[in-house]
Amino acid sequence: MSIEELARKNVRELTPYQSARRLGGKGDVWLNANEFPTAVPFDLTQNALNRYPECQPKAVIDNYAQYAGVKPEQVLVSRGADEGIELLIRAFCEPGQDAVLFCPPTYGMYSVSAETFGVEYRTVLARENWQLDLQGIADKLDGVKLLYVCSPNNPTGQIINPQDLRTLLEMTRGKALVIADEAYIEFCPQATLAGWLSEYPHLVILRTLSKAFALAGLRCGFTLANEEVIALLMKVIAPYPLSTPVADIAAQALSPQGVAAMRERVAQIVAERAYLVNALRDIACVEQVFDSETNYILVRMTASNAVFKSLWDQGIILRDQNKQPSLSGCLRITIGTREESQRVIDALRAEQV
């Protein structure tokens, strides 16, 4: 029996998530991963690495609870929000029996994580405005344990209607968990569901330091939930999910000074987003720039494949969304520096010459 044959069948057939780094490219303008465009400085204060770290470092948990407005007992820290997605499947879904559900176009790791664990995933396409099809969800709810809802949604950039989320939470009481993926919530903090946790025991919220906190390379994420959910996730999480340097930097980033710096970065990105959007709307190959509440914009372009390749060849790396449902002709552009925005604008203007 070959090594390939020894592997689980679903893993042999699995198409891995195509992250920005896996897709590669040789660019110098990286606008395909929704990262903050410049590095932020941190000094390591914990240099003793001969001991294992805390499973849930107290300073990180306490600081994040203070920032998010929840109790420390409602916070779990993990290796990025991606680990949070998987912990929920491991804790709540029986392979071959339960299912997860999400609404494309949306983040690709929901399906990859479900497939990895041999758990069925179901999809209900979003409506034309990329809001939830509540009736379609209700029709597919039997046997579903987890519903992932990304808000603001990646890659479309819009907030999910709060009233629809309330309807979804009422619909799933006693049946399933609703997981609100708030990776981009710092760009629209008024839309967070963190204040709903006391009302909905089956609500779970995913967060990250990768976007507005400018720490994508740290791989540090959070799950916010009621204590009963957190206790179950603690049963399946790795013994030491955060290294000592990661916990050190995360605690600094979540200090009052760190949070204030994050909010300054958000203001910078929002201003840069407005500049780029206004410029793009005057370019001939741009058919539509969709509204965004995030650090990226979705743009529908004429001959988008050719435009994508042309910019790629010039070292400007965007994210092609053509294969996502309802996103034909769409490219996603991360908001970068003013210089990077200008590179994109100039390159797209040259496409129409």
Side-chain angles (χ1 to χ4, degrees):
M1 186 176 288
S2 69
I3 297 297
E4 178 83 6
E5 290 169 329
L6 283 170
R8 290 162 51 205
K9 182 175 184 293
N10 62 305
V11 172
R12 292 200 302 269
E13 298 174 353
L14 179 67
T15 300
Y17 179 71
Q18 296 301 301
S19 68
R21 293 299 171 265
R22 274 193 171 185
L23 289 170
K26 296 182 179 179
D28 60 335
V29 178
W30 292 93
L31 303 179
N32 67 336
N34 300 341
E35 302 148 321
F36 190 74
T38 56
V40 294
F42 289 96
D43 294 320
L44 290 177
T45 63
Q46 303 294 321
N47 296 315
L49 301 181
N50 59 308
R51 303 294 184 191
Y52 287 113
E54 297 174 84
C55 177
Q56 295 290 290
K58 187 176 188 307
V60 177
I61 295 293
D62 288 350
N63 287 4
Y64 201 85
Q66 175 71 26
Y67 162 67
V70 299
K71 296 183 294 185
E73 296 77 18
Q74 294 177 302
V75 179
L76 180 106
V77 64
S78 62
R79 291 167 290 196
D82 289 332
E83 186 178 24
I85 292 170
E86 296 199 344
L87 290 172
L88 287 157
I89 295 174
R90 288 168 59 189
F92 288 93
C93 294
E94 291 281 0
Q97 179 177 322
D98 299 322
V100 306
L101 187 150
F102 50 90
C103 302
T106 194
Y107 184 40
M109 274 304 295
Y110 308 140
S111 60
V112 171
S113 295
E115 282 191 275
T116 299
F117 291 108
V119 170
E120 176 193 356
Y121 70 84
R122 300 176 192 170
T123 60
V124 176
L125 294 182
R127 304 203 315 264
E128 287 184 8
N129 58 357
W130 298 318
Q131 292 296 325
L132 301 178
D133 177 358
L134 291 170
Q135 185 56 56
I137 292 171
D139 292 343
K140 287 193 172 183
L141 204 53
D142 188 42
V144 168
K145 283 284 190 71
L146 306 175
L147 288 91
Y148 291 96
V149 180
C150 193
S151 181
N153 187 44
N154 176 14
T156 56
Q158 92 292 348
I159 296 167
I160 301 300
N161 184 329
Q163 186 52 54
D164 287 350
L165 290 169
R166 283 201 179 274
T167 301
L168 184 63
L169 283 159
E170 293 296 343
M171 183 194 305
T172 53
R173 274 191 189 272
K175 299 177 182 177
L177 299 185
V178 174
I179 300 99
D181 187 337
E182 294 187 347
Y184 300 91
I185 202 65
E186 279 76 23
F187 299 97
C188 49
Q190 76 285 354
T192 182
L193 304 189
W196 296 16
L197 286 170
S198 60
E199 190 175 350
Y200 298 104
H202 59 305
L203 172 62
V204 179
I205 297 167
L206 299 176
R207 298 278 195 86
T208 184
L209 298 187
S210 294
K211 312 303 178 184
F213 281 93
L215 291 171
L218 200 66
R219 306 310 301 129
C220 184
F222 297 86
T223 301
L224 310 182
N226 286 292
E227 294 175 44
E228 189 176 8
V229 173
I230 297 296
L232 289 165
L233 298 182
M234 282 294 294
K235 291 185 175 185
V236 297
I237 197 168
Y240 312 108
L242 260 63
S243 69
T244 296
V246 168
D248 185 2
I249 293 171
Q252 295 176 52
L254 292 164
S255 69
Q257 300 92 330
V259 171
M262 176 274 291
R263 289 180 175 140
E264 291 178 5
R265 287 191 292 271
V266 167
Q268 171 191 331
I269 292 297
V270 168
E272 195 58 43
R273 184 180 70 200
Y275 175 81
L276 181 58
V277 167
N278 288 336
L280 289 177
R281 285 178 171 153
D282 292 330
I283 295 175
C285 66
V286 174
E287 297 177 10
Q288 188 170 4
V289 181
F290 296 97
D291 292 339
S292 173
E293 299 282 351
T294 66
N295 66 337
Y296 56 87
I297 53 176
L298 188 69
V299 184
R300 180 163 276 132
M301 298 190 186
T302 303
S304 65
N305 288 332
V307 170
F308 177 82
K309 185 178 186 307
S310 174
L311 268 62
W312 177 286
D313 291 342
Q314 297 173 61
I316 303 169
I317 313 300
L318 310 182
R319 186 75 174 213
D320 186 356
Q321 297 294 333
N322 270 282
K323 294 181 180 179
Q324 286 253 39
S326 78
L327 299 189
S328 175
C330 289
L331 304 179
R332 193 191 69 192
I333 307 174
T334 302
I335 307 303
T337 62
R338 177 59 56 92
E339 180 184 8
E340 290 170 334
S341 294
Q342 201 58 52
R343 283 275 300 275
V344 172
I345 293 163
D346 293 344
L348 289 175
R349 283 176 176 158
E351 291 295 312
Q352 62 197 62
V353 175

mmCIF file of all heavy atoms in Angstrom, residues 233-274:
data_model
loop_
_atom_site.group_PDB
_atom_site.id
_atom_site.type_symbol
_atom_site.label_atom_id
_atom_site.label_comp_id
_atom_site.label_asym_id
_atom_site.label_seq_id
_atom_site.Cartn_x
_atom_site.Cartn_y
_atom_site.Cartn_z
ATOM 1 N N LEU A 233 -14.321 23.809 24.073
ATOM 2 C CA LEU A 233 -13.194 24.040 23.168
ATOM 3 C C LEU A 233 -11.865 23.785 23.874
ATOM 4 O O LEU A 233 -10.907 23.310 23.257
ATOM 5 C CB LEU A 233 -13.234 25.464 22.612
ATOM 6 C CG LEU A 233 -14.462 25.835 21.769
ATOM 7 C CD1 LEU A 233 -14.339 27.265 21.257
ATOM 8 C CD2 LEU A 233 -14.652 24.869 20.612
ATOM 9 N N MET A 234 -11.815 24.079 25.157
ATOM 10 C CA MET A 234 -10.590 23.832 25.922
ATOM 11 C C MET A 234 -10.251 22.343 26.001
ATOM 12 O O MET A 234 -9.102 21.969 26.238
ATOM 13 C CB MET A 234 -10.730 24.405 27.330
ATOM 14 C CG MET A 234 -10.538 25.918 27.396
ATOM 15 S SD MET A 234 -8.861 26.426 26.978
ATOM 16 C CE MET A 234 -7.938 25.727 28.350
ATOM 17 N N LYS A 235 -11.232 21.487 25.780
ATOM 18 C CA LYS A 235 -10.982 20.048 25.815
ATOM 19 C C LYS A 235 -10.246 19.558 24.562
ATOM 20 O O LYS A 235 -9.620 18.497 24.588
ATOM 21 C CB LYS A 235 -12.304 19.288 25.957
ATOM 22 C CG LYS A 235 -12.973 19.458 27.310
ATOM 23 C CD LYS A 235 -14.214 18.578 27.428
ATOM 24 C CE LYS A 235 -14.815 18.643 28.816
ATOM 25 N NZ LYS A 235 -15.953 17.714 28.996
ATOM 26 N N VAL A 236 -10.343 20.312 23.473
ATOM 27 C CA VAL A 236 -9.767 19.836 22.211
ATOM 28 C C VAL A 236 -8.620 20.707 21.704
ATOM 29 O O VAL A 236 -7.983 20.363 20.701
ATOM 30 C CB VAL A 236 -10.856 19.720 21.121
ATOM 31 C CG1 VAL A 236 -11.912 18.694 21.520
ATOM 32 C CG2 VAL A 236 -11.521 21.062 20.828
ATOM 33 N N ILE A 237 -8.346 21.824 22.355
ATOM 34 C CA ILE A 237 -7.259 22.691 21.891
ATOM 35 C C ILE A 237 -5.917 22.050 22.237
ATOM 36 O O ILE A 237 -5.806 21.255 23.181
ATOM 37 C CB ILE A 237 -7.381 24.103 22.517
ATOM 38 C CG1 ILE A 237 -6.530 25.114 21.736
ATOM 39 C CG2 ILE A 237 -7.015 24.090 23.995
ATOM 40 C CD1 ILE A 237 -6.815 26.563 22.115
ATOM 41 N N ALA A 238 -4.885 22.391 21.479
ATOM 42 C CA ALA A 238 -3.533 21.884 21.742
ATOM 43 C C ALA A 238 -3.056 22.355 23.117
ATOM 44 O O ALA A 238 -3.508 23.394 23.618
ATOM 45 C CB ALA A 238 -2.584 22.373 20.654
ATOM 46 N N PRO A 239 -2.115 21.629 23.725
ATOM 47 C CA PRO A 239 -1.677 21.988 25.077
ATOM 48 C C PRO A 239 -1.080 23.389 25.190
ATOM 49 O O PRO A 239 -1.278 24.078 26.177
ATOM 50 C CB PRO A 239 -0.625 20.930 25.403
ATOM 51 C CG PRO A 239 -0.919 19.796 24.496
ATOM 52 C CD PRO A 239 -1.492 20.387 23.260
ATOM 53 N N TYR A 240 -0.329 23.803 24.162
ATOM 54 C CA TYR A 240 0.352 25.102 24.208
ATOM 55 C C TYR A 240 0.127 25.828 22.877
ATOM 56 O O TYR A 240 1.032 25.904 22.040
ATOM 57 C CB TYR A 240 1.852 24.917 24.465
ATOM 58 C CG TYR A 240 2.152 23.978 25.612
ATOM 59 C CD1 TYR A 240 2.669 22.703 25.368
ATOM 60 C CD2 TYR A 240 1.912 24.354 26.930
ATOM 61 C CE1 TYR A 240 2.941 21.834 26.416
ATOM 62 C CE2 TYR A 240 2.181 23.493 27.990
ATOM 63 C CZ TYR A 240 2.691 22.237 27.725
ATOM 64 O OH TYR A 240 2.959 21.392 28.752
ATOM 65 N N PRO A 241 -1.041 26.375 22.662
ATOM 66 C CA PRO A 241 -1.349 26.927 21.333
ATOM 67 C C PRO A 241 -0.564 28.187 20.975
ATOM 68 O O PRO A 241 -0.361 28.458 19.801
ATOM 69 C CB PRO A 241 -2.847 27.215 21.414
ATOM 70 C CG PRO A 241 -3.151 27.329 22.865
ATOM 71 C CD PRO A 241 -2.203 26.413 23.558
ATOM 72 N N LEU A 242 -0.129 28.956 21.980
ATOM 73 C CA LEU A 242 0.619 30.180 21.707
ATOM 74 C C LEU A 242 2.030 30.058 22.254
ATOM 75 O O LEU A 242 2.221 29.707 23.422
ATOM 76 C CB LEU A 242 -0.053 31.387 22.368
ATOM 77 C CG LEU A 242 -0.909 32.277 21.470
ATOM 78 C CD1 LEU A 242 -2.086 31.493 20.930
ATOM 79 C CD2 LEU A 242 -1.375 33.508 22.227
ATOM 80 N N SER A 243 3.016 30.374 21.420
ATOM 81 C CA SER A 243 4.382 30.405 21.918
ATOM 82 C C SER A 243 4.561 31.616 22.831
ATOM 83 O O SER A 243 3.793 32.584 22.784
ATOM 84 C CB SER A 243 5.371 30.491 20.758
ATOM 85 O OG SER A 243 5.278 31.762 20.134
ATOM 86 N N THR A 244 5.600 31.585 23.648
ATOM 87 C CA THR A 244 5.875 32.691 24.569
ATOM 88 C C THR A 244 6.073 34.023 23.839
ATOM 89 O O THR A 244 5.500 35.041 24.250
ATOM 90 C CB THR A 244 7.098 32.351 25.447
ATOM 91 O OG1 THR A 244 6.771 31.209 26.251
ATOM 92 C CG2 THR A 244 7.483 33.517 26.341
ATOM 93 N N PRO A 245 6.849 34.088 22.733
ATOM 94 C CA PRO A 245 6.970 35.368 22.030
ATOM 95 C C PRO A 245 5.644 35.874 21.459
ATOM 96 O O PRO A 245 5.384 37.082 21.470
ATOM 97 C CB PRO A 245 7.980 35.056 20.913
ATOM 98 C CG PRO A 245 8.763 33.901 21.425
ATOM 99 C CD PRO A 245 7.789 33.078 22.198
ATOM 100 N N VAL A 246 4.808 34.967 20.954
ATOM 101 C CA VAL A 246 3.507 35.382 20.424
ATOM 102 C C VAL A 246 2.653 35.990 21.534
ATOM 103 O O VAL A 246 2.041 37.053 21.367
ATOM 104 C CB VAL A 246 2.774 34.193 19.764
ATOM 105 C CG1 VAL A 246 1.316 34.539 19.478
ATOM 106 C CG2 VAL A 246 3.478 33.798 18.474
ATOM 107 N N ALA A 247 2.589 35.317 22.673
ATOM 108 C CA ALA A 247 1.802 35.833 23.793
ATOM 109 C C ALA A 247 2.349 37.181 24.266
ATOM 110 O O ALA A 247 1.577 38.092 24.603
ATOM 111 C CB ALA A 247 1.806 34.823 24.933
ATOM 112 N N ASP A 248 3.646 37.320 24.271
ATOM 113 C CA ASP A 248 4.298 38.563 24.684
ATOM 114 C C ASP A 248 3.858 39.724 23.793
ATOM 115 O O ASP A 248 3.396 40.782 24.267
ATOM 116 C CB ASP A 248 5.813 38.349 24.613
ATOM 117 C CG ASP A 248 6.626 39.530 25.128
ATOM 118 O OD1 ASP A 248 6.037 40.524 25.584
ATOM 119 O OD2 ASP A 248 7.866 39.442 25.080
ATOM 120 N N ILE A 249 3.961 39.526 22.487
ATOM 121 C CA ILE A 249 3.614 40.594 21.546
ATOM 122 C C ILE A 249 2.109 40.852 21.543
ATOM 123 O O ILE A 249 1.664 42.008 21.489
ATOM 124 C CB ILE A 249 4.127 40.243 20.142
ATOM 125 C CG1 ILE A 249 5.655 40.248 20.137
ATOM 126 C CG2 ILE A 249 3.582 41.209 19.092
ATOM 127 C CD1 ILE A 249 6.274 39.712 18.869
ATOM 128 N N ALA A 250 1.309 39.796 21.637
ATOM 129 C CA ALA A 250 -0.146 39.967 21.650
ATOM 130 C C ALA A 250 -0.593 40.801 22.844
ATOM 131 O O ALA A 250 -1.457 41.683 22.723
ATOM 132 C CB ALA A 250 -0.836 38.609 21.663
ATOM 133 N N ALA A 251 -0.018 40.529 24.002
ATOM 134 C CA ALA A 251 -0.382 41.295 25.199
ATOM 135 C C ALA A 251 -0.036 42.772 25.021
ATOM 136 O O ALA A 251 -0.810 43.659 25.430
ATOM 137 C CB ALA A 251 0.325 40.717 26.426
ATOM 138 N N GLN A 252 1.099 43.058 24.392
ATOM 139 C CA GLN A 252 1.476 44.450 24.134
ATOM 140 C C GLN A 252 0.511 45.108 23.150
ATOM 141 O O GLN A 252 0.102 46.262 23.335
ATOM 142 C CB GLN A 252 2.888 44.515 23.576
ATOM 143 C CG GLN A 252 3.974 44.065 24.533
ATOM 144 C CD GLN A 252 5.335 44.081 23.857
ATOM 145 O OE1 GLN A 252 5.745 45.090 23.273
ATOM 146 N NE2 GLN A 252 6.053 42.973 23.922
ATOM 147 N N ALA A 253 0.156 44.376 22.095
ATOM 148 C CA ALA A 253 -0.746 44.919 21.083
ATOM 149 C C ALA A 253 -2.112 45.252 21.658
ATOM 150 O O ALA A 253 -2.818 46.132 21.141
ATOM 151 C CB ALA A 253 -0.888 43.921 19.934
ATOM 152 N N LEU A 254 -2.498 44.540 22.722
ATOM 153 C CA LEU A 254 -3.821 44.719 23.315
ATOM 154 C C LEU A 254 -3.798 45.631 24.540
ATOM 155 O O LEU A 254 -4.812 45.779 25.222
ATOM 156 C CB LEU A 254 -4.397 43.348 23.690
ATOM 157 C CG LEU A 254 -4.729 42.467 22.486
ATOM 158 C CD1 LEU A 254 -4.916 41.022 22.901
ATOM 159 C CD2 LEU A 254 -5.961 42.994 21.762
ATOM 160 N N SER A 255 -2.661 46.243 24.817
ATOM 161 C CA SER A 255 -2.591 47.244 25.876
ATOM 162 C C SER A 255 -3.363 48.481 25.426
ATOM 163 O O SER A 255 -3.679 48.636 24.237
ATOM 164 C CB SER A 255 -1.131 47.614 26.145
ATOM 165 O OG SER A 255 -0.600 48.324 25.031
ATOM 166 N N PRO A 256 -3.698 49.396 26.333
ATOM 167 C CA PRO A 256 -4.388 50.625 25.906
ATOM 168 C C PRO A 256 -3.649 51.374 24.801
ATOM 169 O O PRO A 256 -4.263 51.874 23.856
ATOM 170 C CB PRO A 256 -4.459 51.446 27.202
ATOM 171 C CG PRO A 256 -4.491 50.418 28.298
ATOM 172 C CD PRO A 256 -3.595 49.308 27.813
ATOM 173 N N GLN A 257 -2.311 51.420 24.914
ATOM 174 C CA GLN A 257 -1.535 52.098 23.865
ATOM 175 C C GLN A 257 -1.613 51.341 22.546
ATOM 176 O O GLN A 257 -1.698 51.948 21.467
ATOM 177 C CB GLN A 257 -0.072 52.223 24.293
ATOM 178 C CG GLN A 257 0.132 53.016 25.580
ATOM 179 C CD GLN A 257 0.134 52.146 26.831
ATOM 180 O OE1 GLN A 257 -0.527 51.091 26.873
ATOM 181 N NE2 GLN A 257 0.875 52.571 27.843
ATOM 182 N N GLY A 258 -1.582 50.007 22.629
ATOM 183 C CA GLY A 258 -1.673 49.192 21.422
ATOM 184 C C GLY A 258 -3.013 49.336 20.729
ATOM 185 O O GLY A 258 -3.086 49.419 19.487
ATOM 186 N N VAL A 259 -4.070 49.370 21.501
ATOM 187 C CA VAL A 259 -5.412 49.530 20.924
ATOM 188 C C VAL A 259 -5.558 50.910 20.298
ATOM 189 O O VAL A 259 -6.142 51.068 19.210
ATOM 190 C CB VAL A 259 -6.486 49.276 21.998
ATOM 191 C CG1 VAL A 259 -7.880 49.657 21.476
ATOM 192 C CG2 VAL A 259 -6.475 47.812 22.431
ATOM 193 N N ALA A 260 -5.014 51.936 20.953
ATOM 194 C CA ALA A 260 -5.064 53.287 20.380
ATOM 195 C C ALA A 260 -4.314 53.338 19.052
ATOM 196 O O ALA A 260 -4.795 53.964 18.081
ATOM 197 C CB ALA A 260 -4.476 54.289 21.368
ATOM 198 N N ALA A 261 -3.163 52.682 18.978
ATOM 199 C CA ALA A 261 -2.395 52.647 17.728
ATOM 200 C C ALA A 261 -3.169 51.918 16.644
ATOM 201 O O ALA A 261 -3.154 52.307 15.469
ATOM 202 C CB ALA A 261 -1.041 51.986 17.967
ATOM 203 N N MET A 262 -3.856 50.830 17.009
ATOM 204 C CA MET A 262 -4.681 50.097 16.043
ATOM 205 C C MET A 262 -5.758 51.012 15.460
ATOM 206 O O MET A 262 -6.003 51.013 14.248
ATOM 207 C CB MET A 262 -5.322 48.887 16.720
ATOM 208 C CG MET A 262 -6.269 48.094 15.849
ATOM 209 S SD MET A 262 -7.978 48.721 15.848
ATOM 210 C CE MET A 262 -8.483 48.312 17.521
ATOM 211 N N ARG A 263 -6.395 51.809 16.308
ATOM 212 C CA ARG A 263 -7.470 52.683 15.816
ATOM 213 C C ARG A 263 -6.926 53.769 14.881
ATOM 214 O O ARG A 263 -7.602 54.168 13.931
ATOM 215 C CB ARG A 263 -8.219 53.279 17.006
ATOM 216 C CG ARG A 263 -9.064 52.196 17.704
ATOM 217 C CD ARG A 263 -9.828 52.700 18.899
ATOM 218 N NE ARG A 263 -10.694 51.621 19.403
ATOM 219 C CZ ARG A 263 -10.906 51.358 20.682
ATOM 220 N NH1 ARG A 263 -10.323 52.100 21.619
ATOM 221 N NH2 ARG A 263 -11.710 50.373 21.042
ATOM 222 N N GLU A 264 -5.708 54.201 15.119
ATOM 223 C CA GLU A 264 -5.075 55.134 14.182
ATOM 224 C C GLU A 264 -4.828 54.464 12.835
ATOM 225 O O GLU A 264 -5.010 55.081 11.772
ATOM 226 C CB GLU A 264 -3.759 55.657 14.768
ATOM 227 C CG GLU A 264 -3.937 56.577 15.963
ATOM 228 C CD GLU A 264 -2.614 57.039 16.540
ATOM 229 O OE1 GLU A 264 -1.544 56.715 15.940
ATOM 230 O OE2 GLU A 264 -2.625 57.708 17.584
ATOM 231 N N ARG A 265 -4.420 53.206 12.868
ATOM 232 C CA ARG A 265 -4.205 52.470 11.611
ATOM 233 C C ARG A 265 -5.517 52.301 10.856
ATOM 234 O O ARG A 265 -5.550 52.406 9.622
ATOM 235 C CB ARG A 265 -3.570 51.104 11.895
ATOM 236 C CG ARG A 265 -2.112 51.164 12.297
ATOM 237 C CD ARG A 265 -1.459 49.798 12.304
ATOM 238 N NE ARG A 265 -1.979 48.935 13.351
ATOM 239 C CZ ARG A 265 -1.488 48.886 14.588
ATOM 240 N NH1 ARG A 265 -0.483 49.674 14.926
ATOM 241 N NH2 ARG A 265 -2.003 48.066 15.469
ATOM 242 N N VAL A 266 -6.589 52.033 11.575
ATOM 243 C CA VAL A 266 -7.895 51.896 10.928
ATOM 244 C C VAL A 266 -8.268 53.193 10.220
ATOM 245 O O VAL A 266 -8.714 53.183 9.059
ATOM 246 C CB VAL A 266 -8.971 51.501 11.956
ATOM 247 C CG1 VAL A 266 -10.365 51.665 11.363
ATOM 248 C CG2 VAL A 266 -8.757 50.059 12.415
ATOM 249 N N ALA A 267 -8.087 54.324 10.894
ATOM 250 C CA ALA A 267 -8.402 55.612 10.270
ATOM 251 C C ALA A 267 -7.568 55.832 9.011
ATOM 252 O O ALA A 267 -8.069 56.334 7.984
ATOM 253 C CB ALA A 267 -8.169 56.742 11.274
ATOM 254 N N GLN A 268 -6.309 55.429 9.074
ATOM 255 C CA GLN A 268 -5.426 55.548 7.905
ATOM 256 C C GLN A 268 -5.943 54.703 6.744
ATOM 257 O O GLN A 268 -6.011 55.167 5.591
ATOM 258 C CB GLN A 268 -4.019 55.099 8.288
ATOM 259 C CG GLN A 268 -3.044 54.975 7.129
ATOM 260 C CD GLN A 268 -1.753 54.278 7.539
ATOM 261 O OE1 GLN A 268 -1.331 54.344 8.706
ATOM 262 N NE2 GLN A 268 -1.106 53.596 6.606
ATOM 263 N N ILE A 269 -6.329 53.468 7.019
ATOM 264 C CA ILE A 269 -6.803 52.568 5.970
ATOM 265 C C ILE A 269 -8.128 53.052 5.391
ATOM 266 O O ILE A 269 -8.344 53.004 4.166
ATOM 267 C CB ILE A 269 -6.933 51.130 6.510
ATOM 268 C CG1 ILE A 269 -5.547 50.538 6.815
ATOM 269 C CG2 ILE A 269 -7.688 50.230 5.522
ATOM 270 C CD1 ILE A 269 -4.632 50.394 5.616
ATOM 271 N N VAL A 270 -9.021 53.540 6.235
ATOM 272 C CA VAL A 270 -10.323 54.028 5.760
ATOM 273 C C VAL A 270 -10.126 55.222 4.822
ATOM 274 O O VAL A 270 -10.775 55.322 3.770
ATOM 275 C CB VAL A 270 -11.232 54.383 6.943
ATOM 276 C CG1 VAL A 270 -12.466 55.160 6.473
ATOM 277 C CG2 VAL A 270 -11.665 53.122 7.681
ATOM 278 N N ALA A 271 -9.217 56.124 5.173
ATOM 279 C CA ALA A 271 -8.935 57.269 4.306
ATOM 280 C C ALA A 271 -8.325 56.821 2.989
ATOM 281 O O ALA A 271 -8.687 57.315 1.905
ATOM 282 C CB ALA A 271 -8.000 58.241 5.022
ATOM 283 N N GLU A 272 -7.417 55.856 3.063
ATOM 284 C CA GLU A 272 -6.781 55.356 1.839
ATOM 285 C C GLU A 272 -7.780 54.607 0.971
ATOM 286 O O GLU A 272 -7.721 54.662 -0.260
ATOM 287 C CB GLU A 272 -5.595 54.461 2.198
ATOM 288 C CG GLU A 272 -4.651 54.185 1.040
ATOM 289 C CD GLU A 272 -4.084 55.457 0.436
ATOM 290 O OE1 GLU A 272 -3.702 56.368 1.189
ATOM 291 O OE2 GLU A 272 -4.050 55.535 -0.809
ATOM 292 N N ARG A 273 -8.713 53.906 1.604
ATOM 293 C CA ARG A 273 -9.758 53.200 0.866
ATOM 294 C C ARG A 273 -10.600 54.189 0.059
ATOM 295 O O ARG A 273 -10.901 53.953 -1.119
ATOM 296 C CB ARG A 273 -10.635 52.409 1.835
ATOM 297 C CG ARG A 273 -11.697 51.544 1.178
ATOM 298 C CD ARG A 273 -12.507 50.813 2.235
ATOM 299 N NE ARG A 273 -13.363 51.730 2.989
ATOM 300 C CZ ARG A 273 -13.877 51.478 4.192
ATOM 301 N NH1 ARG A 273 -13.605 50.343 4.823
ATOM 302 N NH2 ARG A 273 -14.652 52.369 4.795
ATOM 303 N N ALA A 274 -10.969 55.295 0.675
ATOM 304 C CA ALA A 274 -11.774 56.312 -0.014
ATOM 305 C C ALA A 274 -11.013 56.878 -1.216
ATOM 306 O O ALA A 274 -11.591 57.089 -2.294
ATOM 307 C CB ALA A 274 -12.147 57.423 0.964
#
